[in-house]
Structure formats: C-alpha cells, structure tokens
Amino acid sequence: MSLSSEEWLREEARLIILRLLSEETDETLNSNLIVRALRERFAVRRERAWVHAELDYLAEMGAVTVVPAETVKIATLTQRGHRHLAREIAIEGVKRPSRPGE
C-alpha cells in the first residue's frame, strides 16, 4: 500500500525529529528549534502546531517525552526512540532509518 504525500511527509518528519534530538547533548529540543531545523535543513515548511501534533504522535508511540512550556513543547528522546534509530525496533508511523552505508 502506498502512502499519500502527506503521510509520507509525516513519517519522514518524525524520523528527522528523532535524529535532531539524538544530535543534541541532552537529546532535548523545544518545538521552535525543531520547526526552524525542519525548515532550514530539510525544507519541511510547516507551522509549529503541525510539529506539535507530530511530537504528540511520537510521545504516544513512546519515542519521545513531551513537556509543555508556555507556547512551545519540549521534546526529549527516549530509549524507545533510540532503538528505532538504531534499527532495533520499528515504530509504526515513523520512517525506518536507512542501514549504514545506504
């Protein structure tokens, strides 16, 4: 079954968000920084509310924890999110990372 372009973008963005978090020393970012990184580094131009919905999805899947802080959300990568990035597990609705070297 093929994905719609919107579903494909959501799955791709969720993987990018996990990777962005893994790049941080404390594996934590606020949603404003995620919006900016998605736009500037990956040409994913979506509003903060869209990113908040994706963070909520990732939290429901156990890949991140999310803490609301005023008008932003603060996301932190979990062990489950790490395991997805390492290809040890597959989280539904999140693009699988490529194998090293692919």
Side-chain angles (χ1 to χ4, degrees), residues 1 5 17 31 33 38 52 85 90 97:
M1 180 172 82
S5 59
I17 290 168
S31 53
L33 294 174
L38 285 170
H52 284 183
L85 291 173

Side-chain angles (χ1 to χ4, degrees), residues 1-54:
M1 180 172 82
S2 70
L3 297 173
S4 72
S5 59
E6 183 62 24
E7 289 170 319
W8 179 88
L9 180 62
R10 286 182 184 281
E11 289 189 5
E12 185 80 21
R14 292 169 186 156
L15 175 59
I16 291 168
I17 290 168
L18 294 181
R19 285 184 172 154
L20 289 170
L21 293 171
S22 75
E23 292 172 0
E24 296 299 311
T25 302
D26 61 359
E27 298 179 326
T28 300
L29 284 171
N30 73 53
S31 53
N32 280 345
L33 294 174
I34 294 169
V35 168
R36 186 168 67 189
L38 285 170
R39 182 183 63 242
E40 293 175 1
R41 291 176 53 189
F42 301 97
V44 177
R45 291 172 176 82
R46 292 294 190 266
E47 298 298 321
R48 188 169 53 187
W50 188 88
V51 171
H52 284 183
E54 300 317 307

Side-chain angles (χ1 to χ4, degrees), residues 24 26 29 37 50 68 77 79-81 84 90-91 93 100 102:
E24 296 299 311
D26 61 359
L29 284 171
W50 188 88
L77 190 64
Q79 185 61 32
R80 184 168 166 81
H84 180 84
I91 299 175
E102 287 185 1

